[in-house]
C-alpha cells in the first residue's frame, strides 16, 4: 500500500517475496520521497496510481500516472511510482530505464541507486555482478543507509562470496540496528546460506 502522507512524503510498504528489499524491510520513512511541487490534482492521480498498484491493477495505475502533468513526469515521486508499476509487471527493462531517470532527477537520493541495481539483477543481459557494480559506489555516497549494505550482502552471498556477505551484513546491522537487520536477513532467501550463523550472532 502506498500513499502521500500529511508531511508531504511518498511512503510505500510492500509485503510480497517479489518486492524490492530496498523498500520492503525497513521503516519506510528511511526512503520517503518528498512530493512538494506537485499540484493537488497531480497528488490525487499519484495516490490513485499507488492504490491501483497495491490492488494489482496496472492498467488503471498507468492511466492515473499518465494523467499527471507532463512537466511533473520527472518528479522523483512520480518516477518511483512508475518504477513500482514496472516491478509489479516484472518489466525489468522499463524498470531499469525508470531507475536511470530517477538517478538523473535525484542523484542524492538513494532510491534511484537501489532501484537501478534491483532492475539490473533481473534484466535479460544483467545479473548479480552488474547489480553489485551498480550499487557498490552508493555505499560510499550513502554510508549511513543500511539497505545498501544489506543488498550488497545479498548480492555477495548469491555470488558465493560469503566473507564479503558477512562483512556487508554486519555493516548493515551496525547502521540499521542488529534486531531489525537480523529479521530482514532471516526472511531473505538470498542470505539462506548464512542463516545458521546469523541465528547465532
Amino acid at each position: 500500500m502506498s500513499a502521500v502522507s500529511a508531511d508531504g512524503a511518498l511512503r510505500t510498504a510492500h509485503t510480497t517475496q517479489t518486492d524490492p528489499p530496498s523498500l520492503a524491510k525497513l521503516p519506510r520513512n528511511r526512503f520517503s520521497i518528498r512530493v512538494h511541487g506537485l499540484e493537488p490534482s497531480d497528488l490525487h492521480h499519484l495516490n490513485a496510481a499507488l492504490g491501483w498498484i497495491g490492488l494489482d491493477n496496472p492498467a488503471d495505475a498507468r492511466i492515473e500516472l499518465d494523467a499527471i502533468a507532463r512537466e511533473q513526469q520527472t518528479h522523483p515521486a512520480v518516477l518511483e511510482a512508475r518504477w513500482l508499476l514496472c516491478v509489479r509487471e516484472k518489466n525489468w527493462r522499463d524498470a531499469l530505464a525508470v531507475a536511470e531517470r530517477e538517478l538523473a532527477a535525484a542523484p542524492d537520493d538513494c532510491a534511484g541507486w537501489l532501484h537501478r541495481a534491483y532492475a539490473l539483477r533481473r534484466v535479460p543481459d544483467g545479473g548479480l555482478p552488474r547489480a553489485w557494480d551498480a550499487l557498490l559506489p552508493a555505499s560510499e555516497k550513502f554510508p549511513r543507509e543500511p539497505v545498501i549494505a544489506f543488498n550488497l550482502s545479498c548480492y555477495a552471498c548469491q555470488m558465493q562470496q560469503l566473507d564479503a556477505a558477512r562483512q556487508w551484513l554486519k555493516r548493515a546491522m551496525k547502521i540499521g540496528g542488529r534486531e531489525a537487520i537480523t529479521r530482514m536477513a532471516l526472511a531473505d532467501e538470498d542470505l539462506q546460506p548464512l542463516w545458521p550463523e546469523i541465528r547465532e550472532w
Side-chain angles (χ1 to χ4, degrees):
M1 198 66 181
S2 308
V4 177
S5 64
D7 65 353
L10 173 66
R11 294 193 174 97
T12 310
H14 304 272
T15 57
T16 68
Q17 274 295 328
T18 58
D19 286 324
S22 65
L23 300 172
K25 297 162 184 169
L26 281 182
R28 178 59 188 167
N29 60 10
R30 289 186 179 275
F31 308 102
S32 298
I33 291 183
R34 297 291 165 181
V35 296
H36 298 304
L38 291 178
E39 295 296 328
S41 59
D42 292 331
L43 286 174
H44 172 79
H45 290 304
L46 178 61
N47 263 326
L50 293 168
W52 287 124
I53 292 170
L55 293 171
D56 199 23
N57 188 333
D60 285 339
R62 186 170 287 104
I63 289 171
E64 295 290 348
L65 288 173
D66 289 344
I68 293 172
R70 180 180 300 177
E71 62 270 19
Q72 298 295 351
Q73 290 293 328
T74 56
H75 191 288
V78 177
L79 290 173
E80 176 162 4
R82 286 203 179 275
W83 185 83
L84 291 170
L85 177 59
C86 293
V87 170
R88 288 294 186 200
E89 296 179 314
K90 294 186 170 63
N91 185 340
W92 304 119
R93 287 197 184 281
D94 283 358
L96 178 57
V98 173
E100 295 285 4
R101 292 171 64 196
E102 284 186 273
L103 272 173
D108 292 327
D109 190 295
C110 67
W113 294 83
L114 289 159
H115 292 170
R116 181 176 64 171
Y118 189 84
L120 274 169
R121 180 177 178 177
R122 291 160 175 83
V123 291
D125 55 342
L128 286 162
R130 288 193 66 192
W132 169 273
D133 289 343
L135 190 57
L136 187 60
S139 67
E140 296 184 6
K141 188 174 181 66
F142 306 99
R144 301 303 302 166
E145 182 47 69
V147 175
I148 291 173
F150 182 89
N151 285 9
L152 287 169
S153 176
C154 290
Y155 298 159
C157 193
Q158 288 299 298
M159 292 189 294
Q160 308 301 316
Q161 298 174 11
L162 297 186
D163 285 342
R166 292 182 186 99
Q167 292 173 11
W168 283 108
L169 188 58
K170 288 178 179 179
R171 178 171 170 176
M173 288 178 174
K174 183 177 181 180
I175 301 168
R178 179 175 297 275
E179 184 177 347
I181 300 299
T182 297
R183 284 198 304 269
M184 288 171 59
L186 293 176
D188 197 313
E189 292 184 359
D190 279 351
L191 294 172
Q192 189 170 4
L194 296 180
W195 282 355
E197 59 190 90
I198 290 172
R199 291 189 181 99
E200 301 298 322
W201 286 359

